[in-house]
Amino acid sequence: MNEQLGDQLAMLRFLERVQERDLARTRQWIQNMEQRIAEQARRRPPPPPPDWAVQYGIGGRAVRPAMVHTSQCWTPGASMEGISRTQAIEALTRGVVPPCILCRPEKELGVLE
């Protein structure tokens, strides 16, 4: 009986080694796939900047937007967020957000003239 338990323990130890190798191989496959995905992401060109942006003042998105900008004036940063043409028109025509005095988005959009 004692010999049987020893044999069973030996089989379990063997199974453990096989599973550890399988786990190591699976982790290597995962690491290789993550590297391939990261490499593909680096090769993709960055998305173009949006045509319109809203700038938030001090306090970020917790406060109302400060200005609407065109893409030529827009600089990616923590206080800027890309918006659609429709959103830009809505922000300007509702009188909620003033236009930037430098890039004059209202002229390009054809509103508030």
Side-chain angles (χ1 to χ4, degrees):
M1 181 96 146
N2 204 10
E3 192 175 310
Q4 263 186 333
L5 291 176
D7 290 344
Q8 289 177 349
L9 180 59
M11 287 189 299
L12 288 172
R13 294 282 184 208
F14 173 75
L15 178 61
E16 180 183 40
R17 287 191 305 274
V18 169
Q19 290 176 334
E20 285 174 346
R21 281 196 310 256
D22 287 346
L23 182 57
R25 183 175 34 231
T26 301
R27 286 181 174 154
Q28 185 62 49
W29 289 340
I30 290 170
Q31 184 180 10
N32 291 346
M33 186 60 66
E34 288 172 343
Q35 288 173 349
R36 288 175 58 193
I37 290 170
E39 184 177 317
Q40 285 178 347
R42 282 191 300 268
R43 289 181 186 169
R44 270 186 240 125
D51 290 333
W52 314 99
V54 65
Q55 177 183 357
Y56 291 95
I58 296 172
R61 298 185 82 194
V63 296
R64 69 178 212 149
M67 278 189 270
V68 174
H69 297 272
T70 66
S71 62
Q72 291 79 25
C73 189
W74 187 67
T75 304
S79 65
M80 301 283 271
E81 180 180 302
I83 57 173
S84 69
R85 176 182 176 83
T86 304
Q87 290 170 318
I89 291 172
E90 284 179 22
L92 291 170
T93 56
R94 280 199 230 146
V96 178
V97 187
C100 172
I101 59 172
L102 300 174
C103 65
R104 305 300 300 240
E106 74 279 12
K107 287 188 175 188
E108 198 168 324
L109 289 166
V111 295
L112 303 178
E113 291 188 37

